[in-house]
Amino acid sequence: MNRKEFISSIMLSAASLSVPYVPRFWTKRAFESRRPAPEDRNFSSPAVEELLQKVKADIADEEIAWMFENCYPNTLDTTVDFEYIDGKPDTFVITGDIDAMWLRDSTAQVWPYMPLMSQDAKLQELIKGLVNRQMKCILLDPYANAFYKDLEKESYWKEDSAQMLPGVHERKWEIDSLCYPVRLSYEYFKLTGDDTIFDDQWDRAMRLAVQTLRTEQRKNGTTPYRFARETTVMIDSPPFNGTGRPVKPNGLICSAFRPSDDSTNLPLLIPSNLFAAVSLRQLAEIYAEVLEDENMTEECYSFSEEIDQAIRKYAIQDHLNFGKIYAYEIDGFGNKLFMDDANVPSLMSLPYIGAAEREDEIYQNTRKFLLSEHNPYFLNGKAATGQGSPHTGKDSIWPMGLILRAMTSKDPSEIRLCISMLKDTHADTGFMHESFLKDDASQYTRDWFAWANTLFGEMIIGVWSTDRELLNADF
């Protein structure tokens, strides 16, 4: 495809938007790597470096190739702390410009490297070490979302009205915080066959995780969890003494916060419940096939089925313009919220986390809604068009939203459009950011957000693996 045809395809894709996306044109220039020098990198994997060079060689657009080189290895280059503690590998992965480890982010950050474990024994040990570290975190506090390695480090959020134990950075209860460690453990085992991760520590952590998820179904109308923060930001703390808005129990799990770390509006967060159903099925498989524990197998499987049935009964709602779609949040009383947040798990990301098939009618209806003016956080701007998040206000688009849109699409023109917008909005840094203003991408949040960087690399590798011709054009 030549430049003229490419521009034409982008314009056709954007024709329905009120402010059409117009790609910028760059003058030819050299793109120098912005990775740390080899001796300054936190971890180096020969398998990652080999794949990086293979993929980069097949990317015709020099700027996209440069961005890929900067972004894909960013987690290994800058965020991992790997060692052996008591004879076991231990890996602590900070999120980037915040010196703490999120259970969610750390899993997502190493996810694109996992297929390479069979080629790199040290990389496999690194990821095994993260499984071990995450189990320690869950056993410390299953309600916390982010942790410190140094137990004496004082949290910036120490004044929160919450149980702030040593080693806890933040104690925001988010369902997905317990799902991502399951996702990591399950994938590690499936790719390596190494069942030594399923030791006593892992078993105790997973039992505590399931127990916590059960508690947060709130079938008796109560919860031991409280969170209050002195803040002027309404979405930074749940109402009603930190317990959240009223909920009518229906089998779904309450989540005080979203994956964005914003408080939920309605407590039953649907993308995270769908993720929990997937994670519980994975746990059931592990307990059946590896640990041979019939009771835990049945507990996890029946719990997953209960969530699935409640999703079908309560979470799939009629939308005035799009028919039956997934609501983003509900409360069990019949109230529902139609929107999405760019953080994963999101409604857009359901196929990516294994919670829906891309061709599923409900998902496709939902996706059409998400990419329409009826979604309050789908933004049209001069810089780009894409999903945002209440976390960064009403005028900011998230690169993560653009990436997940591409990763859940089979339409080459839509994938090209997303990559082109990512190219045009990195603000000459060569890296992804948390968000940028829809009309001015030079105004962005987070210089160093390793999850978004690595996710960009994962997207490019996905395109390279499935439709390499897409990378033969300038974007």
Side-chain angles (χ1 to χ4, degrees), residues 155-228:
S155 173
Y156 178 83
W157 304 114
K158 63 181 180 179
E159 300 301 327
D160 286 349
S161 180
Q163 179 183 293
M164 295 295 288
L165 297 173
V168 171
H169 168 70
E170 193 172 47
R171 195 176 194 254
K172 289 184 171 180
W173 162 239
E174 303 162 7
I175 294 170
D176 68 282
S177 291
L178 296 181
C179 297
Y180 273 103
V182 178
R183 178 174 170 86
L184 179 70
S185 301
Y186 182 83
E187 187 74 358
Y188 174 86
F189 173 65
K190 286 296 180 180
L191 290 174
T192 67
D194 177 13
D195 63 4
T196 61
I197 60 168
F198 305 128
D199 57 11
D200 176 68
Q201 177 180 257
W202 187 92
D203 181 45
R204 287 185 292 114
M206 291 298 97
R207 289 175 186 274
L208 181 57
V210 173
Q211 176 187 324
T212 304
L213 293 170
R214 276 293 192 194
T215 298
E216 289 308 312
Q217 285 181 296
R218 304 188 186 180
K219 290 184 176 180
N220 64 1
T222 65
T223 173
Y225 179 76
R226 300 287 188 277
F227 182 98

Side-chain angles (χ1 to χ4, degrees), residues 447-460:
D447 283 300
W448 178 20
F449 186 22
W451 178 11
N453 289 330
T454 314
L455 189 66
F456 175 83
E458 182 180 356
M459 176 197 67
I460 294 296

Side-chain angles (χ1 to χ4, degrees), residues 273-385:
N273 269 274
L274 284 160
F275 194 15
V278 172
S279 297
L280 287 162
R281 285 194 295 273
Q282 292 174 341
L283 279 179
E285 183 178 331
I286 293 167
Y287 275 102
E289 298 182 4
V290 182
L291 299 179
E292 298 181 343
D293 186 319
E294 292 183 8
N295 290 334
M296 272 299 286
T297 297
E298 176 57 27
E299 163 66 2
C300 294
Y301 180 74
S302 62
F303 195 173
S304 176
E305 285 294 296
E306 183 179 5
I307 294 171
D308 277 339
Q309 290 173 17
I311 290 287
R312 290 192 290 271
K313 186 173 182 178
Y314 300 105
I316 298 172
Q317 299 280 345
D318 285 311
H319 188 280
L320 183 64
N321 302 94
F322 297 92
K324 292 190 180 301
I325 69 172
Y326 289 110
Y328 184 68
E329 292 172 356
I330 64 174
D331 63 1
F333 291 102
N335 298 302
K336 51 191 176 291
L337 178 60
F338 289 129
M339 58 162 279
D340 201 16
D341 189 302
N343 290 271
V344 181
S346 61
L347 293 176
M348 177 65 77
S349 71
L350 293 181
Y352 175 72
I353 61 173
E357 297 293 333
R358 280 192 289 192
E359 296 79 10
D360 178 77
E361 182 180 0
I362 303 300
Y363 174 72
Q364 283 298 320
N365 289 347
T366 305
R367 201 174 194 280
K368 290 172 184 175
F369 157 71
L370 298 178
L371 299 174
S372 79
E373 63 182 9
H374 299 278
N375 173 7
Y377 294 98
F378 183 69
L379 308 176
N380 296 325
K382 296 176 183 177
T385 296

